[in-house]
């Protein structure tokens, strides 16, 4: 093989490895637990890989919230606010995708999600022995 071609192939291989390494690190970082108001959470679920990874971490969290159109297509960029029984906000974030895992302590909460300028709310009871899942659907036209 000619030296120029060998160097080109080696440079291409190195660039490819570096790119995949960076993308892999970014994806793992994006799905690492974050904290808001002392409550751990993960937001994402844009790709199948992210949803599979989030399902693998599901049992470390007390609540899974999914936001979707009535057609079943997932929605993202929702503002989620969780309040306790007294009405105090205990958690708030803007989702990076259609799924949100939150590790709420035992208690009764109201989960509100605002997307497409529409707010929906649902009450939820978090207990020690169960994991809760809520799906909120928006009636939106497909584009």
């Amino acid at each position: 093989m000619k030296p120029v071609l060998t160097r080109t192939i080696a440079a291409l291989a190195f660039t490819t490895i570096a790119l995949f390494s960076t993308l892999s690190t970014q994806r793992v970082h994006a799905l690492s637990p974050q904290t808001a108001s002392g409550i751990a959470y993960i937001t994402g679920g844009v790709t199948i890989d992210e949803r599979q990874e989030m399902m693998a971490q599901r049992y470390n969290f007390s609540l899974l919230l999914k936001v979707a159109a009535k057609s079943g297509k997932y929605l993202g960029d929702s503002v989620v606010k969780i309040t306790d029984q007294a009405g105090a906000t205990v958690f708030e974030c803007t989702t990076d995708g259609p799924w949100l895992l939150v590790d709420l302590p035992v208690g009764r909460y109201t989960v509100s999600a605002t997307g497409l300028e529409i707010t929906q709310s649902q009450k939820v009871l978090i207990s020690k022995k169960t994991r809760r899942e809520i799906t909120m659907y928006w009636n939106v036209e497909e584009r």
Side-chain angles (χ1 to χ4, degrees), residues 35-90:
T35 305
S37 303
I39 295 176
Y41 72 98
I42 297 175
T43 176
V46 174
T47 65
I48 291 172
D49 287 343
E50 281 186 354
R51 289 191 294 274
Q52 288 174 341
E53 189 170 334
M54 289 178 79
M55 286 307 291
Q57 296 188 49
R58 169 75 177 98
Y59 292 99
N60 297 322
F61 296 86
S62 56
L63 176 67
L64 169 59
L65 170 66
K66 299 177 184 179
V67 293
K70 284 200 176 191
S71 67
K73 289 189 177 183
Y74 287 126
L75 304 174
D77 298 323
S78 299
V79 176
V80 176
K81 181 177 178 181
I82 301 175
T83 55
D84 63 16
Q85 263 187 305
T89 300
V90 296

Side-chain angles (χ1 to χ4, degrees), residues 14-28:
F14 178 76
T15 302
T16 302
I17 291 168
L19 176 63
F20 282 116
S21 175
T22 301
L23 290 175
S24 175
T25 301
Q26 287 175 347
R27 188 174 69 83
V28 169

Side-chain angles (χ1 to χ4, degrees), residues 118-135:
I118 299 168
T119 301
Q120 291 191 37
S121 297
Q122 231 177 49
K123 295 195 181 295
V124 63
L125 172 64
I126 302 296
S127 66
K128 285 184 179 182
K129 296 183 180 184
T130 60
R131 301 288 180 233
R132 296 298 309 235
E133 183 174 320
I134 297 173
T135 304

